[in-house]
């Protein structure tokens, strides 16, 4: 029967952080840059605009039952009408015509997007190569669970739920990280105590047959 030290259960453990035991800003852990600032609501107007825009798109597809091609065509028609009225009416109302650069995507944004994609691919390769077996099996388990959840949700709903989590959980953790770490550490200690109790009262009382020694040749 295993012997457990009861004194160790009463000693409060320092709460372990979800993103590692070392003290490091969450912004740096998320990779820094524009993406981390959006997830942590550094620019509230930009983060809110992205969240509202994503919610409108999700509502059009799921609630309005829009088809992607139909929605894309309607958005293009509206944009063309607005640009047409703006360009032809600029001289009448003594205003400047629209600037073409205002509707183009900066090259820096494209470079940043491809850099983030390359980081994700390199991370995927690093995990898949088996250099860190713990992370490898955790990733396989997470993907398997996610594939099971995907059977009960449409792809768009699943993406939207994941997007809401990305836009809310990091910011909430940054604000209430100490409370979350304390509750998680307390729950971990309670689970260990429960397992020790079950092991002492039930598992160790299960009769086991004699262990036979292996013959050596």
């Amino acid at each position: 029967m295993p012997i457990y030290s009861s004194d160790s259960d009463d000693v409060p453990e320092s709460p372990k952080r979800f993103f590692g035991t070392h003290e490091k800003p969450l912004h740096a852990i998320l990779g820094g840059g524009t993406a981390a600032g959006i997830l942590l609501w550094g620019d509230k107007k930009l983060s809110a605009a992205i969240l509202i825009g994503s919610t409108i798109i999700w509502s059009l597809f799921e609630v309005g039952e829009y088809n992607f091609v139909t929605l894309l065509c309607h958005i293009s028609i509206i944009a063309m009408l607005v640009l047409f009225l703006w360009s032809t009416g600029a001289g009448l109302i003594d205003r400047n015509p629209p600037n073409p650069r205002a509707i183009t995507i900066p090259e820096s944004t494209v470079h940043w997007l491809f850099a983030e994609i390359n980081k994700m691919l390199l991370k995927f390769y690093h995990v898949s190569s088996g250099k860190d077996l713990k992370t490898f099996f955790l990733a396989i388990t997470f993907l398997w669970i996610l594939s099971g959840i995907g059977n009960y949700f449409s792809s768009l709903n699943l993406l939207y739920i994941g997007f809401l989590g990305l836009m809310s959980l990091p910011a909430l953790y940054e604000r209430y990280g100490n409370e979350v770490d304390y509750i998680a550490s307390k729950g971990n200690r309670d689970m260990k105590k429960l397992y020790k109790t079950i092991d002492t009262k039930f598992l160790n009382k299960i009769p086991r047959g004699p262990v036979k020694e292996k013959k050596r040749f």
Side-chain angles (χ1 to χ4, degrees):
M1 181 182 299
I3 299 175
Y4 300 104
S5 176
S6 60
D7 296 336
S8 61
D9 296 336
D10 300 330
V11 178
E13 300 178 1
S14 57
K16 295 182 180 180
R17 298 185 65 84
F18 282 170
F19 297 95
T21 55
H22 56 280
E23 294 295 333
K24 193 175 181 180
L26 188 56
H27 186 274
I29 294 174
L30 293 175
T34 306
I38 292 173
L39 295 178
L40 296 176
W41 290 72
D43 187 346
K44 294 183 178 180
K45 292 183 178 179
L46 178 59
S47 299
I50 293 175
L51 181 59
I52 293 172
S54 302
T55 302
I56 292 174
I57 294 174
W58 172 82
S59 300
L60 289 173
F61 282 117
E62 288 296 321
V63 181
E65 297 183 352
Y66 256 85
N67 181 276
F68 176 76
V69 176
T70 304
L71 179 62
L72 182 62
C73 291
H74 287 178
I75 293 176
S76 300
I77 291 172
I78 294 173
M80 290 179 68
L81 290 175
V82 170
L83 290 175
F84 174 77
L85 294 175
W86 189 355
S87 299
T88 56
L92 299 177
I93 58 176
D94 195 18
R95 296 195 62 175
N96 294 326
N99 186 2
R101 294 183 179 179
I103 60 174
T104 57
I105 300 176
E107 293 184 2
S108 58
T109 303
V110 178
H111 292 162
W112 169 82
L113 179 61
F114 279 99
E116 293 298 321
I117 293 175
N118 287 332
K119 288 180 182 178
M120 292 177 61
L121 292 175
L122 290 175
K123 185 67 176 179
F124 178 81
Y125 172 78
H126 176 74
V127 173
S128 302
S129 62
K131 296 180 180 179
D132 187 350
L133 290 179
K134 181 180 178 181
T135 305
F136 174 78
F137 287 113
L138 284 175
I140 293 293
T141 304
F142 172 76
L143 291 174
W144 181 76
I145 294 174
L146 186 62
S147 66
I149 296 175
N151 292 328
Y152 301 96
F153 296 91
S154 66
S155 299
L156 183 61
N157 283 335
L158 195 59
L159 288 174
Y160 182 67
I161 292 172
F163 178 76
L164 288 181
L166 285 175
M167 292 297 294
S168 58
L169 295 180
L172 290 175
Y173 182 78
E174 186 183 42
R175 185 172 182 178
Y176 303 105
N178 293 331
E179 291 81 356
V180 173
D181 293 333
Y182 172 77
I183 294 174
S185 299
K186 187 176 183 301
N188 188 27
R189 292 196 300 269
D190 292 341
M191 290 298 295
K192 289 181 179 179
K193 291 180 181 179
L194 178 62
Y195 173 77
K196 291 177 182 178
T197 303
I198 295 174
D199 187 32
T200 303
K201 293 184 177 180
F202 300 101
L203 298 181
N204 285 309
K205 293 182 179 180
I206 298 175
R208 295 177 174 85
V211 179
K212 296 182 179 181
E213 295 184 357
K214 295 182 178 179
K215 295 181 180 182
R216 299 181 179 179
F217 296 96

